[in-house]
Amino acid sequence: MIKENQRLLNLIHLLIDAFIMIFSFMLAYFLRFDVAHSPLIWLRIIKEPSGIYLPMINYMEMLIFLVPFYIIAYYFFHLYDPKRTARRRTTLSALIKANATGILYCTAVLYFFKSTYYARLFLGIFFILNTVFDFLFRHIVSRILKKLRRSGKNLKHVLLVGYGRAADGYIDRMLTHNDWGYYIHGVLDDNMSPGTR
């Protein structure tokens, strides 16, 4: 049951990641090429596009090979693994690596097909947007799950048999971090009295 729920959650997570990629891609195009409305161009953070640049529909064709590769990269960098004990820094690092790998892949494909009309600055903006939006999404999900676990929901039950220093340290960590969502059951061995813990 838990594995089936985890698969469903991973599928939903994957679809949301794909949506974030498409949204980041379209927003990157707007920020790079919409001279009339892009705040990056208004504020002179980037220069206006010069020369020939392709319409959005041509850029969107890149998503056909980009989105599947990104999903595979996210799997490779363990971004779909359970994150009960993961730190934000670890997640951000994995996202940066996965997105950097995706951009390198995209650049290699464009070079292979000799597509010179795609703007490198556009890819840089996409890289930043996709990383930030995906990190924010994962952070929000993590906060929601931590609140649920603190309130006694979305728990994983752990059975400890026996007692010793290792078990004691493990129990202390679980009690200190109740947002990890582990509920501990204990079975006493013959050398431990019921009132010890």
Side-chain angles (χ1 to χ4, degrees):
M1 183 70 178
I2 291 173
K3 283 186 178 178
E4 287 174 9
N5 288 339
Q6 189 63 50
R7 281 185 196 134
L8 179 62
L9 287 172
N10 282 347
L11 178 61
I12 293 168
H13 205 166
L14 187 149
L15 292 172
I16 292 171
D17 280 340
F19 172 78
I20 290 171
M21 284 175 222
I22 294 166
F23 175 75
S24 299
F25 202 86
M26 294 173 72
L27 184 57
Y29 187 91
F30 162 76
L31 291 172
R32 177 63 193 106
F33 297 113
D34 193 331
V35 177
H37 303 101
S38 171
L40 296 182
I41 296 172
W42 291 346
L43 299 170
R44 299 189 180 183
I45 296 169
I46 61 173
K47 292 179 181 178
E48 289 185 19
S50 59
I52 299 170
Y53 62 91
L54 299 172
M56 184 183 278
I57 190 69
N58 292 83
Y59 272 81
M60 295 295 284
E61 289 171 1
M62 291 169 63
L63 291 170
I64 295 167
F65 62 85
L66 199 61
V67 171
F69 181 84
Y70 263 76
I71 297 299
I72 292 166
Y74 280 19
Y75 268 110
F76 182 78
F77 286 101
H78 307 288
L79 285 163
Y80 295 117
D81 293 353
K83 295 283 186 284
R84 285 177 185 264
T85 60
R87 295 182 177 180
R88 279 176 291 185
R89 196 182 312 161
T90 306
T91 302
L92 180 58
S93 173
L95 272 171
I96 290 170
K97 289 174 188 173
N99 276 277
T101 304
I103 291 297
L104 286 172
Y105 166 76
C106 185
T107 306
V109 169
L110 291 175
Y111 178 78
F112 179 77
F113 286 109
K114 297 179 180 178
S115 301
T116 56
Y117 293 115
Y118 292 92
R120 292 188 188 97
L121 184 54
F122 160 80
L123 291 174
I125 295 168
F126 168 69
F127 169 82
I128 292 167
L129 290 175
N130 196 55
T131 304
V132 169
F133 289 147
D134 229 323
F135 178 72
L136 287 174
F137 164 66
R138 281 171 161 75
H139 178 66
I140 290 166
V141 169
S142 176
R143 292 293 295 268
I144 291 168
L145 289 174
K146 281 181 179 179
K147 283 187 179 180
L148 286 171
R149 289 168 192 147
R150 283 191 187 119
S151 65
K153 295 171 185 172
N154 191 30
L155 299 178
K156 281 195 174 182
H157 295 264
V158 177
L159 178 65
L160 291 178
V161 179
Y163 188 75
R165 283 186 190 169
D168 193 40
Y170 182 79
I171 292 167
D172 282 338
R173 279 197 305 278
M174 294 304 107
L175 293 175
T176 304
H177 299 282
N178 62 350
D179 56 312
W180 290 355
Y182 291 100
Y183 185 82
I184 300 172
H185 303 274
V187 176
L188 304 177
D189 63 20
D190 294 337
N191 300 320
M192 179 182 170
S193 62
T196 308
R197 183 93 187 159

